[in-house]
Amino acid sequence: MNASAQRGLMPEQLRLLSSFFATGVTAVLSGHDGECLGMTVNSFTSLSLDPPLVLFGAQSGSSVLQAIRASGCFTVNVLATDQTDISSQLARRGGPEKMQGIDTVTAPCGAPRLTGALAWFECALERCEAAGDHLIVIGRVLDGGYRDMVSEPLLFFRSAYRALRTAD
């Protein structure tokens, strides 16, 4: 077997193929030393109902990941179609300056959460597992809530934001 076959797909090929899988868009927030940090994540999923666990992937050097490890808590905020600007802002590289102009409240777990999120999960850090150039972050869901039952989720498909469309 040649080296490229052992390695698997090239990163750009995997990115293209992955773009055909529609995902929801979330913002993961944490805080430490008085700073609020956030990042856009579309690798979020429910992992277990009992105990209540969720997971997402984060780049190993992420400042948000460092805050999560230091504080032990975070929130996952499901974004609605009216929050594309928040998603774009938090998708950029940077630190606490990315949160400029984004409204948050402090969740009972101690982590910041977005006001106006479609739904949110307040989590305690359960553990992190290495996976290539990322870490899989597993959180125990302590609490959560949702905005309403009529707003629509923000989706990401073929490298663009999308909205749900009902079939006729």
Side-chain angles (χ1 to χ4, degrees):
M1 189 180 287
N2 66 35
S4 67
Q6 288 175 345
R7 180 169 181 232
L9 290 176
M10 298 299 289
E12 58 275 3
Q13 293 171 305
L14 181 56
R15 183 181 300 272
L16 173 64
L17 289 174
S18 296
S19 76
F20 286 91
F21 182 69
T23 64
V25 182
T26 65
V28 173
L29 276 60
S30 190
H32 183 64
D33 286 339
E35 292 185 327
C36 179
L37 296 149
M39 65 182 170
T40 300
V41 170
N42 68 350
S43 61
F44 169 75
T45 191
S46 173
L47 179 61
S48 169
L49 296 176
D50 188 17
L53 301 174
V54 295
L55 69 78
F56 68 93
Q59 286 187 330
S60 299
S62 162
S63 59
V64 177
L65 181 57
Q66 292 171 13
I68 290 170
R69 286 181 142 166
S71 69
C73 63
F74 61 94
T75 62
V76 179
N77 303 267
V78 179
L79 299 183
T81 54
D82 61 353
Q83 294 178 308
T84 57
D85 55 336
I86 292 172
S87 176
S88 296
Q89 187 170 330
L90 295 180
R92 296 191 298 253
R93 294 202 184 278
E97 72 281 356
K98 293 191 319 180
M99 294 298 299
Q100 194 104 29
I102 296 176
D103 292 330
T104 64
V105 296
T106 302
C109 70
R113 78 166 173 81
L114 293 177
T115 57
L118 183 59
W120 57 91
F121 302 80
E122 299 170 15
C123 302
L125 178 61
E126 188 80 8
R127 69 179 180 272
C128 294
E129 298 286 336
D133 61 356
H134 278 60
L135 289 175
I136 298 169
V137 180
I138 300 173
R140 181 178 295 262
V141 181
L142 305 173
D143 201 1
Y146 58 92
R147 176 165 88 181
D148 58 50
M149 295 297 281
V150 296
S151 297
E152 297 290 333
L154 181 60
L155 301 177
F156 200 69
F157 177 69
R158 283 197 247 162
S159 304
Y161 292 118
R162 309 290 179 150
L164 286 176
R165 188 179 79 193
T166 57
D168 295 330

